[in-house]
Amino acid sequence: SSSSILHPYYVEDLTASSIIDMLKAASELAQQKNIQFNGKLFLAGYSEGGYATMAAHKAIETNGLDGFNLIASFPGAGAYDLTAMQKHIFSLQEYDDPHYLAYMARAYQIEYAEDNLLTDFFKEPYASRIPGLFDGQKGADAINAQLTSTMSDLIQADVLNTIDSDPKYDYLQNAFIENSLTDWTPQIPIFLYHGLSDATVPYQNSVGTYDKLLANGTPTSIVTLTPLAGTHSTAIEPYLAAIIEKLLSLK
């Protein structure tokens, strides 16, 4: 039923609500099948899944979730601070995964009904090309091949140079702020993990998020950050090993 709807990539409220809706559906199915569970809930995910994990955790703490007792979450390598992520990418000459930028820009264009977002952000021929790249048929490599990793060739010079100072880009800045996960004070444990050599989502994004959560008043007994050996891809295995051990100790 949602096959024609673009995934709301890094849109906080829709990401969290989709997870919560699926948890409710799982609970209903368990009741129908007479499957008993104790209601303990653990959330885990990596990359965008790390962001989704924290977004869902935040929503559950904020609004509650009947029938579930959130014990802990385990976000891995997510871009939780989107403003910091934008500043990092804009500081680079080359970024090897431009499909991530196009994906988020297209999602935000739709979510916020900003018709000019793609042409504000991207140079041609990429701005006009992007909508057709997200047709549900192309993977990351195919989309990257239709873009460029050179930031000065991909992104409009004006937005590169003046996004922080020109009011016409306030809508972009506000979207990054609105969907960042640094504006709350968790009360239930969050175990952050991130690869030290990650060039796709830099380790520093988790460090900055951790620091901001502490500055908001979160105690170090609630939020922890564990560095992992590896890149965005190779840190997945140690992430899984670490969270399985922690899950077993908490269950």
Side-chain angles (χ1 to χ4, degrees):
S1 63
S2 62
S3 62
S4 63
I5 300 173
L6 183 74
H7 174 65
Y9 192 62
Y10 278 93
V11 177
E12 179 186 347
D13 56 349
L14 295 178
T15 299
S17 65
S18 65
I19 294 169
I20 289 168
D21 287 346
M22 186 60 74
L23 287 167
K24 292 176 180 177
S27 178
E28 292 173 5
L29 181 62
Q31 293 176 22
Q32 293 170 12
K33 299 296 184 181
N34 294 316
I35 297 171
Q36 300 300 315
F37 80 109
N38 60 18
K40 289 184 177 180
L41 175 63
F42 299 88
L43 300 171
Y46 191 86
S47 191
E48 187 201 0
Y51 175 89
T53 293
M54 191 183 290
H57 182 137
K58 178 184 173 185
I60 291 170
E61 281 208 29
T62 302
N63 302 313
L65 184 58
D66 290 343
F68 291 90
N69 177 24
L70 179 60
I71 304 299
S73 69
F74 305 86
Y80 318 106
D81 188 338
L82 298 178
T83 299
M85 192 69 189
Q86 171 259 306
K87 292 181 183 298
H88 167 72
I89 290 174
F90 277 23
S91 73
L92 302 175
Q93 291 184 334
E94 299 283 331
Y95 183 63
D96 290 338
D97 292 298
H99 76 280
Y100 288 126
L101 303 181
Y103 199 178
M104 191 166 77
R106 178 62 171 153
Y108 282 22
Q109 181 189 37
I110 293 170
E111 170 66 14
Y112 295 103
E114 292 286 354
D115 294 340
N116 295 327
L117 193 153
L118 295 181
T119 52
D120 277 355
F121 203 92
F122 297 102
K123 291 183 176 179
E124 294 294 356
Y126 309 110
S128 298
R129 185 179 294 171
I130 285 169
L133 297 178
F134 295 92
D135 58 1
Q137 305 300 313
K138 299 177 182 65
D141 290 343
I143 295 172
N144 278 335
Q146 294 295 313
L147 301 171
T148 175
S149 61
T150 302
M151 291 297 94
S152 60
D153 291 340
L154 180 66
I155 300 175
Q156 294 280 9
D158 190 54
V159 75
L160 271 176
N161 296 323
T162 68
I163 189 171
D164 295 327
S165 58
D166 193 329
K168 74 179 181 181
Y169 299 127
D170 283 353
Y171 76 95
L172 285 172
Q173 295 282 65
N174 291 337
F176 296 146
I177 293 168
E178 180 180 333
N179 292 288
S180 290
L181 298 172
T182 56
D183 60 345
W184 64 302
T185 307
Q187 307 296 317
I188 296 170
I190 296 178
F191 298 91
L192 290 163
Y193 298 85
H194 210 127
L196 286 167
S197 302
D198 195 331
T200 302
V201 180
Y203 173 72
Q204 189 60 38
N205 199 277
S206 281
V207 173
T209 300
Y210 172 80
D211 289 344
K212 287 180 180 179
L213 293 179
L214 294 185
N216 294 343
T218 308
T220 54
S221 60
I222 293 295
V223 60
T224 63
L225 172 58
T226 301
L228 303 170
T231 65
H232 198 67
S233 297
T234 62
I236 295 173
E237 187 172 336
Y239 164 75
L240 290 172
I243 70 167
I244 289 170
E245 181 178 0
K246 182 64 72 173
L247 277 166
L248 291 174
S249 72
L250 294 174
K251 71 173 187 176

